[in-house]
Amino acid sequence: MTMRVLALLMLLSLADGFYVPAPVGKIHAGRPAAAFSERLPLVPALGRGRRAFLRPGRSSGVCQAAATAATAEEAPPATSDVYACPQCKTPASLEASSCSNCGAPFAKSAEGFTDLTPAATAPKQTRSSPSITSNPFITTALASAGVQLSGLPLRQELFRSPFVSYLYERGWRNSFKQAGFPGIEKEFQLVQEFFTEAQNKTVIDLSCGSGLMVRRLAKSGKYNKVIAVDYSESMLQEVIRRSKEESTPAFDVVRADVACMPFQDDSVDAIHSGAALHCWPSVQDGLKEVNRVLKPGGSFFATTFLWGVPDELVSLVENLSSPLSGRRAYRFFSPKELEWLMKSAGFSDVEVEARDRCALIRCKK
């Protein structure tokens, strides 16, 4: 039996259709490349130390047959794909250039993330032409001046600014400790404890920011599939850049709208969303989507701000709220409101823990 396994692994490592990371012999995410359709694209300027991909398309039928014949004990557990087209909702592949059902384009950015927002995947005939609202600097300035742009609130547009993305891990996120946030290392420990049942399965870091949590999830080696999701293009660029600098194991990087996530129903085992709910344009819609994509019994761990947080803790210039508008840029919560929001979204097991002005949220579907 040992010789059979060794022979199989040799065939797998030689086949063009497989990705072989270190250590050699472990198939990435426990799947052959025919099923592994997503990967973290590489940033050309940061190519040192990167892993090699063997190109699909010329793998031998003998190798595929040998892989199929392997027993569950001889191979890592398989993980099915989780993606769905944002337009027609049919199962989709991140590797594909478009939806096989409706033809919606799946654009790959030069930096290395896949854009699966409704706007980016809309049919060409209905897609709006570029305008000033596609520039995050302009939308942030207009929103902070009190100009309400449809679907582009300040709390969302602020984080699309490269300036904010640059500063996020350079002191801003760490300042949240003053409001009661545990700090990223302690938060990661709490997430790991809550995600015990998701080990060897699929996890998403939703509104991942610059990747503080998703890099740790990927490095832990405890999950078959790790996905970074954010609406901000500049944040996703930071995710990719920092992941390459730290030689983080490969994971998917996707741009998506929290209110219309590109995932199949009941497909994901655990979702984390750190310091994010107060930035979502529609918290109710986002939470319903989280509940939709989680498997029954799936876990949702989130942190956000409670009422009473000083503006300067969460904003660079007193929350960037204009004196003319008189509006607060973010939405803060009470523990009771958060509990109601979670249950209204469909979660049955809800715990909201208040730590000073920080809320730690644990939910089970």
Side-chain angles (χ1 to χ4, degrees):
M1 180 63 70
T2 301
M3 292 299 296
R4 180 186 175 190
V5 173
L6 290 174
L8 173 60
L9 292 177
M10 290 177 66
L11 284 171
L12 296 180
S13 65
L14 291 173
D16 283 342
F18 290 85
Y19 165 61
V20 186
V24 174
K26 181 180 179 182
I27 302 173
H28 184 81
R31 294 178 292 157
F36 175 63
S37 58
E38 311 84 40
R39 64 177 181 264
L40 177 65
L42 302 173
V43 180
L46 297 170
R48 288 187 297 173
R50 69 194 199 184
R51 295 173 176 176
F53 284 88
L54 295 174
R55 299 299 181 187
R58 300 189 305 276
S59 57
S60 85
V62 174
C63 180
Q64 292 180 356
T68 304
T71 63
E73 292 75 22
E74 294 170 338
T79 302
S80 60
D81 212 349
V82 299
Y83 293 98
C85 172
Q87 300 297 325
C88 67
K89 310 304 181 184
T90 58
S93 168
L94 203 64
E95 186 72 7
S97 60
S98 62
C99 175
S100 60
N101 180 58
C102 70
F106 299 160
K108 309 295 191 297
S109 74
E111 295 79 15
F113 60 83
T114 304
D115 195 334
L116 295 180
T117 57
T121 56
K124 289 184 178 180
Q125 59 270 25
T126 61
R127 210 178 306 166
S128 58
S129 57
S131 65
I132 61 171
T133 58
S134 63
N135 187 317
F137 289 106
I138 295 176
T139 55
T140 300
L142 290 174
S144 62
V147 179
Q148 182 59 53
L149 302 173
S150 178
L152 300 173
L154 175 58
R155 58 180 176 268
Q156 170 185 280
E157 294 304 295
L158 174 64
F159 290 92
R160 295 180 65 200
S161 163
F163 177 63
V164 172
S165 300
Y166 176 84
L167 290 177
Y168 194 70
E169 284 192 44
R170 293 174 172 86
W172 190 4
R173 179 60 163 82
N174 195 52
S175 70
F176 292 0
K177 289 182 180 179
Q178 299 176 53
F181 278 72
I184 187 59
E185 295 303 337
K186 179 60 177 178
E187 289 174 46
F188 176 59
Q189 179 184 338
L190 294 172
V191 169
Q192 291 283 79
E193 292 171 356
F194 193 58
F195 285 2
T196 301
E197 296 178 1
Q199 291 188 14
N200 299 318
K201 298 177 182 178
T202 300
V203 299
I204 291 176
D205 189 14
L206 182 61
S207 299
C208 64
S210 58
L212 275 167
M213 183 62 72
V214 76
R215 299 198 304 271
R216 287 164 172 78
L217 292 171
K219 289 177 182 178
S220 73
K222 293 184 177 181
Y223 310 102
N224 275 2
K225 190 178 190 67
V226 177
I227 305 172
V229 176
D230 205 284
Y231 187 77
S232 167
E233 305 93 324
S234 59
M235 282 293 190
L236 294 177
Q237 291 170 20
E238 279 287 294
V239 170
I240 295 171
R241 185 186 66 78
R242 289 177 176 274
S243 295
K244 295 308 301 179
E245 287 182 350
E246 298 177 11
S247 299
T248 305
F251 57 88
D252 295 351
V253 184
V254 176
R255 182 175 183 237
D257 186 338
V258 68
C260 184
M261 291 201 286
F263 301 104
Q264 299 174 33
D265 294 355
D266 306 325
S267 61
V268 176
D269 300 277
I271 296 177
H272 166 264
S273 187
L277 270 64
H278 53 281
C279 301
W280 291 1
S282 174
V283 178
Q284 296 91 326
D285 291 345
L287 291 175
K288 287 179 181 177
E289 278 290 274
V290 170
N291 186 269
R292 177 185 66 80
V293 304
L294 278 175
K295 293 178 179 178
S299 304
F300 178 50
F301 185 103
T303 56
T304 190
F305 287 99
L306 298 173
W307 281 108
V309 179
D311 286 346
E312 58 268 21
L313 276 185
V314 291
S315 174
L316 298 176
V317 187
E318 292 187 0
N319 220 13
L320 292 183
S321 184
S322 167
L324 297 177
S325 68
R327 294 197 308 270
R328 183 181 295 271
Y330 303 102
R331 174 178 177 177
F332 298 145
F333 309 89
S334 70
K336 287 293 185 182
E337 181 186 12
L338 286 169
E339 183 177 349
W340 179 85
L341 285 168
M342 301 300 154
K343 291 181 177 179
S344 297
F347 292 102
S348 57
D349 187 356
V350 177
E351 176 190 345
V352 178
E353 177 186 353
R355 295 191 178 187
D356 195 5
R357 299 303 177 186
C358 167
L360 302 179
I361 306 160
R362 300 175 179 87
C363 299
K364 290 283 188 179
K365 178 176 175 179

